[in-house]
């Protein structure tokens, strides 16, 4: 389980547009680096990031090797109601890591 | 006669080159970084170094070794027990008879108190624990040395800092005392204060220790770097901390 | 990069405007460059940004990232950190729900670290 930092308000007014910042620990190996013997180190990156708000997808990102290590993604969403924000990161091996945060919207 | 005058001029030039940065002029590497790099450091939710601090917080509470103890079992809440610790490391270890740095102190606790395997230099776990501990001193001023037993070691560190070495025949002092603020290639030369270690270096794409940075510098002048944990590295760390006394700790810093 | 952009927009016209790509003009280290892309849009059901695509000129691949937005986003703005292998141009293209494409580009100078491990 990679370390994750997610920043979003725990409370918001209905209709408020809130900023969500996410950071996940991952080397994002490009596939272009060479090891000490001159062989290419295999590509191994997080290639997809999805945010679901109470089950509905509100943001999606497709990532390529040009994304810096320890990917940082900040985006916005409308606080439509109280509930759960689910974040998932999927890597080249098809493994997904998910994190859930609660939000109260009044 | 001409040869003797030339020799005297060269000797004079070499001795006057032993400059030091005046205390009023001292600035952190933060001041030399670009606004974008500084912004990365300033926001705890966007600072990649915080990922290691977060891991360190988890490790702090994790039992380890045959003694089945966590750091928290002895040291409690790190926010109180570790506050100010990084500001006075490297510290003299009476049993060993020489100073040790924070990484070595953590490994010493692991071996002696937790009866666990020491963590490898630059491993995620050692970096995380060191970052977590040092982070508890963020905002604290680096302490001046009061322990006279440290004197011979910081003198060695000072000597190493001023010694010209490598194929480029440069000393640390020539760049970081005499030419800070100027550019080397496309990069601005900082003063070389260890205020933010362990730090996230964009070049490494990872958090790294002060010893890793010192080794980079030595390789940079095309000299053979000292091994991790070598007394020369610890002496240099000690001298650098003394040189930076009074400056504020920023761990985890972000640097290019 | 040009081919990758053509593949995206097909027969459509690429118009400059509405999109604002923010990147530092000079970068201290190409390993982590802060990028923010925003699009002027009310982000309503009838008028919103569907997707934003980022391309680069000189990395081994032209693709950097692609984002799917929609009215739930509220504000069409995304910030990421990217890698730039060399001084080059970066292009951001937004596709609106009416099928139109809008773009902005920035030229970035990339400097390298002086003391490395190699």
């Amino acid at each position: 389980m990679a370390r994750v930092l997610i920043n979003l308000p725990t409370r918001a007014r209905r209709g408020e547009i809130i900023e969500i910042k996410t950071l996940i620990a991952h080397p994002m190996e490009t596939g272009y680096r060479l090891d000490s013997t001159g062989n290419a180190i295999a590509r191994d990156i997080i290639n997809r990031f999805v945010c679901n708000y109470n089950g509905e997808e509100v943001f999606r990102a497709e990532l390529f090797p040009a994304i810096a290590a320890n990917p940082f993604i900040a985006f916005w969403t409308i606080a439509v109601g109280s509930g759960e924000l689910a974040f998932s990161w999927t890597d080249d091996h098809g493994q997904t890591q998910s994190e859930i945060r609660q939000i109260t919207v009044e | 006669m001409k040869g003797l005058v030339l020799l005297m001029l060269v000797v004079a030039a070499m001795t006057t080159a032993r400059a030091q940065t005046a205390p009023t002029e001292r600035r952190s590497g933060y001041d030399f970084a670009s606004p974008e790099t500084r912004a990365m450091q300033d926001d705890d939710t966007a600072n990649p170094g915080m990922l290691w601090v977060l891991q360190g917080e988890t490790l702090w509470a994790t039992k380890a070794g045959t003694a089945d103890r966590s750091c928290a079992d002895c040291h409690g809440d790190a926010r109180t027990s570790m506050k100010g610790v990084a500001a006075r490391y490297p510290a003299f270890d009476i049993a060993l008879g020489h100073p040790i740095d924070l990484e070595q102190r953590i490994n010493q606790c692991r071996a002696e108190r937790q009866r666990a395997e020491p963590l490898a230099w630059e491993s995620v776990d050692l970096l995380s624990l060191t970052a977590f501990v040092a982070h508890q001193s963020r905002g604290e001023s680096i302490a001046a040395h009061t322990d006279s037993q440290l004197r011979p070691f910081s003198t060695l560190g000072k000597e190493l800092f001023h010694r010209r070495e490598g194929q480029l025949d440069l000393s640390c002092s020539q760049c970081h005392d005499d030419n800070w603020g100027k550019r080397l290639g496309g990069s601005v030369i900082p003063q070389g204060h260890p205020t933010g270690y362990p730090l996230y270096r964009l070049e490494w794409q990872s958090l790294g220790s002060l010893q890793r940075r010192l080794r980079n510098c030595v390789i940079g002048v095309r000299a053979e770097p000292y091994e991790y944990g070598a007394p020369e590295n610890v002496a240099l760390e000690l001298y650098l901390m003394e040189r930076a006394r009074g400056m504020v700790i920023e761990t985890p810093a972000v640097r290019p | 990069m040009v081919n990758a952009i053509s593949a995206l927009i097909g027969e459509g016209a690429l118009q400059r405007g509405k999109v604002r790509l923010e990147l530092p003009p000079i970068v201290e280290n190409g390993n982590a460059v802060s990028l923010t892309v925003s699009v002027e849009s009310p982000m309503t059901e009838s008028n919103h940004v569907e997707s934003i695509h980022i391309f680069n000129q000189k990395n081994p691949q032209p693709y950097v990232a692609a984002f799917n937005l929609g009215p739930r986003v509220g504000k069409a703005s995304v910030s990421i950190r990217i890698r730039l292998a060399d001084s080059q141009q970066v292009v951001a293209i937004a596709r609106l729900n009416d099928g139109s494409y809008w773009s902005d580009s920035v030229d970035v100078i990339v400097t390298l670290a002086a003391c490395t491990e190699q």
Side-chain angles (χ1 to χ4, degrees):
Chain A
M1 286 283 282
R3 289 105 65 206
V4 164
L5 267 169
I6 298 173
N7 183 34
L8 77 158
T10 45
R11 317 186 77 83
R13 291 182 318 275
R14 194 167 302 272
E16 190 183 344
I17 306 175
I18 57 172
E19 188 180 19
I20 301 176
K21 293 189 228 183
T22 67
L23 191 59
I24 184 168
H26 196 284
M28 298 292 278
E29 195 57 68
T30 61
Y32 297 109
R33 290 204 312 167
L34 303 179
D35 63 20
S36 50
T37 59
N39 299 314
I41 304 168
R43 169 183 147 150
D44 188 3
I45 69 166
I46 291 173
N47 59 47
R48 190 166 73 232
F49 169 77
V50 180
C51 176
N52 284 303
Y53 190 156
N54 284 338
E56 206 180 312
E57 184 177 304
V58 291
F59 179 79
R60 171 182 288 253
E62 195 185 346
L63 307 177
F64 293 85
I67 296 296
N70 305 304
F72 172 76
I73 304 174
F75 59 100
W76 300 77
T77 199
I78 305 176
V80 297
S82 298
E84 252 179 27
L85 277 134
F87 305 89
S88 68
W89 293 260
T90 306
D91 67 17
D92 283 344
H93 306 289
Q95 309 272 41
T96 299
Q97 180 168 333
S98 300
E99 299 282 324
I100 297 190
R101 295 290 185 272
Q102 306 294 330
I103 188 167
T104 304
V105 177
E106 50 240 351
Chain B
M1 187 57 194
K2 202 165 168 195
L4 187 62
V5 170
L6 199 61
L7 182 64
M8 283 169 63
L9 280 170
V10 169
V11 169
M14 282 177 71
T15 41
T16 50
R18 275 181 159 252
Q20 288 188 56
T21 313
T24 47
E25 277 191 304
R26 287 180 316 170
R27 285 149 64 187
S28 158
Y30 178 87
D31 292 344
F32 297 100
S34 73
E36 292 76 31
T37 307
R38 278 184 259 167
M40 234 185 268
Q41 178 177 318
D42 290 340
D43 184 352
D44 276 359
T45 61
N47 180 338
M50 289 303 286
L51 290 167
W52 277 260
V53 171
L54 206 69
Q55 175 76 343
E57 190 173 9
T58 304
L59 288 169
W60 180 265
T62 306
K63 294 193 189 294
T66 54
D68 198 39
R69 268 194 202 133
S70 70
C71 315
D73 286 339
C74 289
H75 295 287
D77 186 350
R79 276 172 306 210
T80 34
S81 62
M82 293 295 113
K83 190 172 159 79
V85 169
R88 52 180 175 77
Y89 262 79
F92 193 82
D93 185 295
I94 296 169
L96 292 171
H98 59 75
I100 55 172
D101 66 13
L102 196 53
E103 285 88 344
Q104 290 169 316
R105 186 71 181 88
I106 289 170
N107 265 338
Q108 196 185 71
C109 266
R110 270 190 72 86
E112 292 174 16
R113 314 261 190 278
Q114 293 175 303
R115 306 219 184 283
E117 282 301 304
L119 300 166
W121 282 99
E122 301 314 289
S123 61
V124 172
D125 284 358
L126 184 57
L127 284 169
S128 298
L129 274 169
T130 314
F132 177 65
V133 171
H135 180 63
Q136 308 312 316
S137 290
R138 186 166 69 173
E140 302 285 305
S141 298
I142 293 175
H145 291 160
T146 49
D147 191 344
S148 57
Q149 293 174 108
L150 289 173
R151 181 97 355 256
F153 301 94
S154 67
T155 301
L156 169 63
K158 183 172 179 178
E159 211 284 305
L160 289 167
F161 193 79
H162 289 87
R163 180 192 295 175
R164 293 172 76 146
E165 59 181 351
Q167 291 177 327
L168 297 187
D169 194 32
L170 285 170
S171 72
C172 314
S173 176
Q174 283 176 292
C175 278
H176 296 293
D177 280 331
D178 300 343
N179 287 291
W180 57 262
K182 297 186 195 151
R183 287 180 177 272
L184 184 66
S187 311
V188 181
I189 300 170
Q191 295 179 356
H193 296 298
T195 49
Y197 278 89
L199 55 76
Y200 191 86
R201 193 177 181 214
L202 302 183
E203 179 60 25
W204 296 329
Q205 304 190 78
S206 169
L207 194 90
S209 68
L210 177 55
Q211 289 204 18
R212 180 175 178 182
R213 191 66 189 86
L214 295 176
R215 282 166 54 87
N216 281 187
C217 281
V218 172
I219 291 169
V221 300
R222 303 291 180 265
E224 204 57 52
Y226 297 106
E227 291 302 313
Y228 280 104
E232 289 88 348
N233 274 334
V234 182
L236 266 168
E237 282 184 280
L238 185 67
Y239 172 66
L240 287 173
M241 287 295 272
E242 188 178 335
R243 182 170 168 267
R245 70 194 169 285
M247 294 179 77
V248 170
I249 290 194
E250 301 165 41
T251 308
V254 179
R255 298 282 186 266
Chain C
M1 176 173 79
V2 170
N3 292 338
I5 293 175
S6 301
L8 170 72
I9 66 178
E11 296 292 313
L14 190 58
Q15 301 169 80
R16 282 200 84 101
K18 295 193 196 286
V19 181
R20 191 166 120 93
L21 178 59
E22 291 169 67
L23 279 158
I26 295 184
V27 154
E28 274 187 305
N29 194 297
N31 279 337
V33 184
S34 298
L35 178 157
T36 299
V37 57
S38 20
V39 187
E40 275 168 40
S41 166
M43 294 307 282
T44 59
E45 272 298 333
S46 52
N47 183 1
H48 61 263
V49 176
E50 273 186 0
S51 58
I52 302 177
H53 305 257
I54 315 280
F55 297 93
N56 76 86
Q57 189 190 23
K58 291 197 185 152
N59 284 1
Q61 281 184 36
Y63 312 101
V64 178
F67 308 108
N68 280 26
L69 282 72
R72 288 289 297 268
V73 152
K75 182 166 154 174
S77 177
V78 184
S79 296
I80 52 174
R81 286 181 197 139
I82 69 171
R83 289 172 167 139
L84 291 176
D86 196 356
S87 300
Q88 59 185 295
Q89 188 178 79
V90 181
V91 176
I93 297 178
R95 185 194 148 100
L96 304 188
N97 65 306
D98 65 7
S100 63
Y101 290 97
W102 298 82
S103 77
D104 189 17
S105 67
V106 175
D107 288 296
V108 183
I109 295 173
V110 177
T111 60
L112 302 173
C115 283
T116 65
E117 277 158 328
Q118 277 77 48

